[in-house]
Amino acid sequence: MRKQLCLGVMLSLVASSVLLAETFELGKIEVTSEKDISANPSVEVVTSETIKETDAKTVVDALQSTPGVYADYAGARGESKVRVRGFSSNRVPIYVDGIPIYVPYDHNIDLGRFKTYDIGEIDVSKGYVSPMYGANTMGGAINLITKQPTKELEGEVGVGAFSGDGYEEYATMGTKQELYYGLISVSNVSRDYYKISSDYDPAGHQDGHKRSNSESGDKKLNLKVGYTPNSTDEYSFNYIVQRGDKEQPWYASAQGSTGGGVYNRNWDWKDWDKTSYYIITKTAIGEHFLKTRWYYDEFYNKILFKGTPQTSAQNTVTEISEYDDNTFGGIIEGDIKIADNHLLKLSVSQKYDNHKDISSKSSGADLKDESKTLSLGAEYSWQMSDKLTWTLGGSYDKNEVTKAEYRNNAGTRIAGEFPKYDSDAFNPQTILSYQATKDLMFYGSVSQKSNMPTLKDRYSSRFGDYILNPDLDAEQSTTYEIGTDWAFVEDQHAKVALFYTKTKDYIASVSGLTNTNPALGCTGTNCSQMQNFDQEEHKGAEVSLNSQWNEQLRSTLSYTYIDATIEDSKTANAKYTTDTPKHSYYASLTYSPIHSVDITPIVRHEGKRYSNVSGSEESSSYTVADIRVAYRPIKDLELAVGIKNLFDEYYYYNNGYAQEGRNYYANARYSF
């Protein structure tokens, strides 16, 4: 499975390179600068420095330090994801430079495939979310903002090795000239396996501690070209190519390992390929600005379904699942300066999602599902005084299914189309901030947001177990949040947020249903269906403290409490939102005994998680410690070694899918 190396030529071209320190300003949606009256004080920012100090290779790793954000793992699909304040990833859209990149069919994306080498910062919005993002921000929004060059010639080159016969190599080079800039970034990461903790007792389809079926590889190219004719205008073309392949680790628990289904699942992602083209522009018109984003995004996914693990059929391909999806659209935003203290933003977003399920039986049976989503957004910010700023925003979102095909019973041709429906929602929001002193700020917000049903929610039978439900409504949530941002003494920065969210028309699974119409999927008396019925409550608190104690010592501490419960459901005994720990802690410390050495220990703790809504299955709490030591023999060269899961903690998010035990890494990076 391991792919050939693609970086040899690039590495030789940039034999002296590295850190691009600036983020791509055109890629930002939420404004965080205090000088901008539309700034959102509740946004959390993960910097490139944090990414480097924690050796965060993937976006999931990088987000571990953010209060209210939890790593999640879809074991049955081998996908790394995150949850935000209890909301699953298909309710928290992912963006790159403000461009939506989640998979059209189900709004999901495997964040384990997204490496961090070309990322300048990550913006996380949780309560108030700018309407300029567009639709489906019910649980928040995560924007991966790429890097941008600032010098005539600059860049970075790095290589590394890590446990499981893993290696990494990457290079980034950029130039900034008077009228233009350019950047190219390439990376290649591969590993043969990972090891489970020595405290794990092999069970299910797992022998020993070298994780079965856990090989993966990822390559990426990021090309950026920009034109800056003057000090206000900017036009940028971006091209991103990702080519991945991965194996899905086999089920590794005695519980349920003889039950078939996901327990005997043996999938290999032969291709996990993504290609993005997008143009972002910013044009000044007097004191006003016109901003546009145009994009075309392709996702090709080929999965080999194989026979039961640890049998003679384990290498036999029984079926192939092949998707060829794309999404395209545009966002037009106008920033209108009404007066010195008044700013109005208006946006129109149109997104077209196209899903094609390629048939292995006949080219005439390729199945197509298509939809389009319109979002009309507005945001008015008023700086009422030197201390008080009020922002009122909202959007009207509409999703329309335009094609929903189905095959004949033999699966050899397209037989017709299912009924097509629309969903829409109005999403008003407001946030008020008060700058009590130059070091102390308070804010409060109320946000109503929505999430449109996916094509999968409406039209997937999930391998014949579900009844289709095309007429789903949009999910809705209302969040109340208050918070403070306080630099209470020099170099001590604290943030506190209290929040309460209530959902309506939450889409969830109902089981034990009867259906006699084979055209609607599952038949019989034990079918399931996705329906609008759940009501959930998510309430909690987030506290963080960033401290620079002196030139040698700095630290980060955070704590999150969240109580996420199901208040009303058709599912028997449904009480708890799954995969959401009630308590979590994060602490990191960077000590520099001399200028050229950094020692960074990190400790992360999470409480138990419920694995099902009744609470009868749960994962145990865990504590993981990491340590990293970096040495700079010269200014531009950094050598680092580290250990993750230092004490070899055995833990898992989903039963049967243990996370990695103690592992080691070493890397080097050079910059100019």
Side-chain angles (χ1 to χ4, degrees), residues 345-383:
K345 295 182 179 181
L346 301 173
S347 69
V348 179
S349 170
Q350 184 79 64
K351 185 174 187 286
Y352 296 87
D353 291 331
N354 304 296
H355 169 68
K356 181 166 72 172
D357 182 355
I358 298 175
S359 171
S360 59
K361 297 182 178 181
S362 167
S363 60
D366 291 349
L367 194 67
K368 295 180 181 179
D369 295 320
E370 298 175 0
S371 70
K372 61 181 181 180
T373 303
L374 170 70
S375 180
L376 305 176
E379 187 176 61
Y380 168 67
S381 299
W382 176 21
Q383 187 174 6

Side-chain angles (χ1 to χ4, degrees), residues 568-632:
D568 185 16
S569 177
K570 294 181 182 178
T571 302
N573 302 316
K575 301 176 184 177
Y576 305 105
T577 297
T578 60
D579 303 307
T580 304
K582 183 168 285 189
H583 303 279
S584 62
Y585 311 84
Y586 178 90
S588 69
L589 181 75
T590 297
Y591 173 57
S592 304
I594 57 176
H595 180 70
S596 59
V597 174
D598 295 333
I599 303 171
T600 305
I602 299 171
V603 176
R604 181 167 51 89
H605 170 84
E606 287 189 359
K608 66 181 181 181
R609 303 178 178 210
Y610 293 110
S611 302
N612 58 19
V613 294
S614 67
S616 61
E617 296 181 12
E618 61 185 36
S619 62
S620 301
S621 62
Y622 69 89
T623 302
V624 170
D626 305 335
I627 188 165
R628 178 180 185 268
V629 179
Y631 170 56
R632 292 172 295 279

Side-chain angles (χ1 to χ4, degrees), residues 423-589:
S423 300
D424 64 350
F426 176 60
N427 310 289
Q429 300 184 77
T430 186
I431 185 168
L432 181 69
S433 63
Y434 176 68
Q435 194 74 41
T437 69
K438 66 180 183 66
D439 299 320
L440 177 63
M441 183 271 298
F442 299 96
Y443 70 88
S445 67
V446 181
S447 306
Q448 181 174 302
K449 296 170 292 182
S450 61
N451 185 53
M452 299 296 163
T454 67
L455 290 167
K456 181 177 180 179
D457 288 336
R458 295 180 190 268
Y459 297 108
S460 175
S461 68
R462 290 166 167 80
F463 302 103
D465 294 331
Y466 276 69
I467 305 168
L468 277 56
N469 189 2
D471 193 19
L472 286 168
D473 293 324
E475 303 174 303
Q476 293 187 323
S477 70
T478 303
T479 299
Y480 305 87
E481 180 175 344
I482 57 173
T484 183
D485 192 324
W486 185 21
F488 55 94
V489 295
E490 187 176 1
D491 298 324
Q492 305 286 321
H493 183 195
K495 296 182 73 172
V496 178
L498 306 176
F499 61 90
Y500 172 80
T501 300
K502 191 173 183 67
T503 70
K504 175 186 176 183
D505 292 331
Y506 209 79
I507 297 174
S509 175
V510 182
S511 58
L513 303 178
T514 298
N515 177 48
T516 58
N517 183 359
L520 294 178
C522 175
T523 57
T525 59
N526 191 28
C527 297
S528 299
Q529 187 181 50
M530 303 303 291
Q531 295 184 4
N532 293 103
F533 64 86
D534 267 3
Q535 292 187 23
E536 296 190 359
E537 286 187 359
H538 303 183
K539 50 183 179 286
E542 299 164 352
V543 181
S544 64
L545 175 64
N546 292 288
S547 304
Q548 182 75 50
W549 300 97
N550 52 47
E551 292 184 356
Q552 295 178 299
L553 188 65
R554 62 183 181 275
S555 64
T556 296
L557 300 171
S558 68
Y559 166 72
T560 301
Y561 167 81
I562 180 168
D563 182 18
T565 58
I566 299 173
E567 299 300 310
D568 185 16
S569 177
K570 294 181 182 178
T571 302
N573 302 316
K575 301 176 184 177
Y576 305 105
T577 297
T578 60
D579 303 307
T580 304
K582 183 168 285 189
H583 303 279
S584 62
Y585 311 84
Y586 178 90
S588 69
L589 181 75

Side-chain angles (χ1 to χ4, degrees), residues 279-308:
I279 296 172
I280 305 179
T281 73
K282 177 183 177 184
T283 305
I285 306 173
E287 293 184 311
H288 317 300
F289 285 95
L290 176 66
K291 302 176 183 178
T292 68
R293 301 170 192 269
W294 309 99
Y295 58 89
Y296 177 74
D297 199 52
E298 299 174 327
F299 179 67
Y300 175 72
N301 188 159
K302 186 175 184 179
I303 310 174
L304 307 182
F305 297 173
K306 297 183 178 181
T308 301

Side-chain angles (χ1 to χ4, degrees), residues 206-438:
Q206 176 66 34
D207 289 331
H209 295 88
K210 182 185 289 188
R211 191 66 170 103
S212 301
N213 220 51
S214 60
E215 189 175 345
S216 65
D218 293 281
K219 297 176 182 178
K220 186 176 184 180
L221 166 69
N222 187 341
L223 177 66
K224 185 191 306 288
V225 179
Y227 174 53
T228 52
N230 51 53
S231 61
T232 58
D233 298 354
E234 187 173 345
Y235 307 88
S236 175
F237 169 76
N238 301 262
Y239 173 61
I240 300 177
V241 180
Q242 294 172 252
R243 296 293 180 261
D245 57 78
K246 65 174 184 175
E247 296 175 333
Q248 178 196 325
W250 295 337
Y251 189 79
S253 173
Q255 180 180 347
S257 61
T258 60
V262 298
Y263 308 114
N264 290 328
R265 182 170 288 182
N266 183 10
W267 289 3
D268 285 353
W269 270 256
K270 187 69 175 177
D271 297 288
W272 195 103
D273 297 347
K274 197 170 191 308
T275 306
S276 301
Y277 311 80
Y278 56 94
I279 296 172
I280 305 179
T281 73
K282 177 183 177 184
T283 305
I285 306 173
E287 293 184 311
H288 317 300
F289 285 95
L290 176 66
K291 302 176 183 178
T292 68
R293 301 170 192 269
W294 309 99
Y295 58 89
Y296 177 74
D297 199 52
E298 299 174 327
F299 179 67
Y300 175 72
N301 188 159
K302 186 175 184 179
I303 310 174
L304 307 182
F305 297 173
K306 297 183 178 181
T308 301
Q310 298 180 312
T311 70
S312 59
Q314 74 175 33
N315 294 319
T316 302
V317 177
T318 59
E319 189 178 345
I320 297 176
S321 173
E322 193 173 2
Y323 289 171
D324 190 3
D325 295 356
N326 68 76
T327 183
F328 63 92
I331 305 168
I332 301 175
E333 176 187 334
D335 294 358
I336 304 167
K337 186 177 180 181
I338 299 174
D340 286 344
N341 297 322
H342 300 263
L343 178 64
L344 175 64
K345 295 182 179 181
L346 301 173
S347 69
V348 179
S349 170
Q350 184 79 64
K351 185 174 187 286
Y352 296 87
D353 291 331
N354 304 296
H355 169 68
K356 181 166 72 172
D357 182 355
I358 298 175
S359 171
S360 59
K361 297 182 178 181
S362 167
S363 60
D366 291 349
L367 194 67
K368 295 180 181 179
D369 295 320
E370 298 175 0
S371 70
K372 61 181 181 180
T373 303
L374 170 70
S375 180
L376 305 176
E379 187 176 61
Y380 168 67
S381 299
W382 176 21
Q383 187 174 6
M384 305 168 71
S385 69
D386 291 341
K387 296 181 179 295
L388 197 62
T389 301
W390 176 45
T391 297
L392 177 65
S395 68
Y396 171 74
D397 303 335
K398 182 178 181 179
N399 173 256
E400 179 182 350
V401 177
T402 56
K403 181 173 288 188
E405 296 178 339
Y406 63 87
R407 298 184 178 108
N408 61 353
N409 291 338
T412 56
R413 62 179 176 82
I414 300 302
E417 288 197 45
F418 292 113
K420 298 181 287 291
Y421 291 90
D422 302 341
S423 300
D424 64 350
F426 176 60
N427 310 289
Q429 300 184 77
T430 186
I431 185 168
L432 181 69
S433 63
Y434 176 68
Q435 194 74 41
T437 69
K438 66 180 183 66

Side-chain angles (χ1 to χ4, degrees), residues 151-172:
K151 301 175 183 178
E152 287 190 8
L153 184 63
E154 60 179 80
E156 172 174 294
V157 62
V159 294
F162 49 94
S163 297
D165 289 341
Y167 65 84
E168 59 179 333
E169 49 186 353
Y170 59 94
T172 303

Side-chain angles (χ1 to χ4, degrees), residues 652-669:
Y652 57 86
Y653 304 130
N654 301 125
N655 182 51
Y657 301 97
Q659 297 298 298
E660 190 169 9
R662 184 188 296 116
N663 60 98
Y664 307 86
Y665 65 88
N667 52 53
R669 67 178 78 208

